[in-house]
Amino acid sequence: MAGTNNLHPLKLDELKGRPPSEVAALLEADLERGLSQEEAERRLRLFGPNAVPEKEESVWRRLLKRFWGPIPWMIEVAALLSALVRKWEDFAIITVLLFVNAGVDFWQESKAISALKVLQKRLERKARVLRGGEWREVDVRDLVPGDVIRLRMGDLVPADAILIDDTYLQVDQSALTGESLPVNKKAGDPLFSGSVVKQGEGRALVVATGPNTYFGRTVSLVARAEREERSHFQQAVIQIGDALIVMTLALVVIILIVGLFRNESWIELLRFALVLTVASIPVALPAVLTVTMALGALELAKRQTIVRKLAAIEELAGVDVLAADKTGTLTQNRMTIERIRPQPPFEAADVIFYAVLASREENRDPIEEPIFAEARKLSLEQRLAGCKTLEFVPFDPVRKRTEARVECGGRKYWVSKGAPQVILELCADSLDDASAINEELERLAENGFRVLAVAMSEAGGKPRFVGLIPLYDPPRPDSAQVIAEARKLGLDVKMITGDHVAIARYIARVLGIGDNILDVRELREAGVKEWRVLAEVLTRDLYSAFRPDADEAEVKRFTRRVVEDLLKIFEEQHLGTVHRHESEIVRLVEEADGFAQVFPEDKYFIVEKLQKGGHYVAMTGDGVNDAPALKKADCGIAVAGATDAARAAADLVLLAPGLRVIVGAVELARQIFERMKSYAIYRIAETVRVVLFMWAAITFFNFYPITALMIIILALLNDIPILTIAYDNARVARNPVRWNMREVLTVSGWLGVAGLLSSFLLFYLAVAVWQLPHDLIQTLFFVKLVVAGHGTIYNTRTYDRWFWTRPYPSGILFWSTMSTAVLGTLIGVYGWFFGNVMTPMGWGWALVIWVYAFAWFLFNDFVKVTVYRYLERRGVVEPS
């Protein structure tokens, strides 16, 4: 197709009432063959990609932000005060601290941004496009005006388009237009980019892409800044950071007041206070959080799991119930046809013939693919060639069947295929006895077969039952083993399926899930039975009380009395019954091994009841109607091949089928949680240890253990290696992990107290026993705080076990901590970078400090393990 340069995107509001053929002419498009690949590429160069340009913050702006804010301000003021008192060495080191902090933070943010871009790339959507007469899948961003696309239930409309086919299509466009209910569409009606196809399927003509769409124009007018949702864990750690800031500032204010009473230089005091505040505040906290989560998300991506929200990693670590779809997760989603059961006078070939007429091959539905394969095996191509589809109604979870009106050789037929009970009900008038069919269905269900039924009618006659197509979806080879592994991790795997209870029980037995499979319909009905009984009794009494001759006043008095009785019964009896009944339903859901005959809306019900039982629930889903349950779940998981709507609602998106992907993601999420928890305990312990000692020494002994410059170097040497905790090896907890503030505060508090005791013991030895000079004592304490602080990292990385237990530290953590500890020692031994500010202490004292720090490191580990054993006995934590 030779195009012109006069083409331009069209606006949907200008196309009202125009037939698709007229709009196609405006776009120089062919509704039957679509654009040629060459023309599509030309239009892509002309109109640009089908994506709304994101306003990305420039590199320079992101870098300059590192010098603006409370923490940078304090460092900058400290540098300015150093310059005012002409302490140029201090000024230089403080300036270096400022730039190093900014550089490290900028580097880590850049890594996180790059990681998230990689994840977004993996989640790019595909569209089914007619190009050169053939249907193919292309990236959504490669769509151009004039493209003919196919939309199905669950798809997000990829660009502004108009519906071509006069078919049934229901679209949810509430996010764009504010309409609360789905809208029915007919040929020529507009389809807004970003709306969701709720039911039906059909072809559409793209009229505008990217920033020219209704959604794109809206975004360009309103600048939106979406913030990543913080998880419970992140909120807790940030609250800890805020508490540490408050504690630090309070102690620093006391130091300032005491110093002023002692007539010390206010400039020196302020400079020292600023430096101590900067060093004690958890400056690396945001970077550690972001990097740990982002690196974890990248690692999950390598395991075929894409994280849509970083906060989902923490939620996944705490999940204790996994409600998993049978099809595609526990089974292979690869249907095979067993022996076909035709209903005389029909034959097996007739069953497949009419089933094909009620299907669409281009949809590549896993249930329909074996039907088309069987049709080829039976050589039905010639018989099907003479048939033309006049109308097609796709499958939806409520009707549970497809249907079509077709014309074959001049004769018109109605055909349908779907759930056997639905088809049997349609054919009730033409079937003399359905008992034999129902018995056969029971036998097939007990042996794990999923069954499709087929019906047809001719020339408006009664629907006739054609036969049964037994399908078997074999379990994945590794499902039983993975379920056993999941249970070792404390995960309760519950199977979710729309199949008959007998099929569900068969699959559950094969996989070792259990036999307690509930029919979710009966479970939901149980909740309203008592309401119905009560309503029937009261209604009967009410109607029987009225007499034809009753006057108006009598009726009013009686009505008032009945209402009072109703309220009394409701308050005194039924509320308690409902409460008891709700608790019973929650118990039944908790004890169930799986649920059968589940509709998408039932998934929400299951998640809700499990959450009322105090569980963290992960729910899998793939359809548009699964979206509410995926949002309701603590961790919604869109399985491989899920619809766009399910992916948009989910927290995690799987790129590979099977349960192993989910279990692997849970294991990694728990490792990430372990790293974050280790960091939280370390940060609290270190702040308590350093700030309390500095405050006590200065306030009560009028002794500055280290100088402001030493504090700056100490902060640098501590913050750099702690960032590598994001790369550390971490164990996989045996049970779901959740934030336990009492545990973290107790362990970190005792470690902080132990560190405080070690500092005061060294202080006593240096002052009273060894009687060392003041400046040498400061050097000793500088090295001691560096070496002992690095040791605390190894105490907290195995926060509930001895430090020598597996998993061992990663290479990057070990060498970063070792190199900075050695560098700190060399600075103290030779007085590097300080000129005459720090007194060199020599190798003898360095050896003393290392031995002293190591002895207290062992003692700290003993304290940590003892505290944990105490918490285990008190039931605060589970045994490790």
Side-chain angles (χ1 to χ4, degrees), residues 431-459:
L431 270 176
D432 294 331
D433 184 12
S435 59
I437 298 173
N438 283 316
E439 288 175 7
E440 183 63 19
L441 285 171
E442 286 292 333
R443 283 194 295 271
L444 290 169
E446 287 171 1
N447 288 285
F449 288 99
R450 183 174 183 177
V451 184
L452 287 177
V454 182
M456 61 81 64
S457 68
E458 186 177 359

Side-chain angles (χ1 to χ4, degrees), residues 265 355 486 502 593 596 677 719 757 815:
S265 167
D593 298 314
K677 191 173 178 180
D719 281 349
L757 291 175
W815 289 113

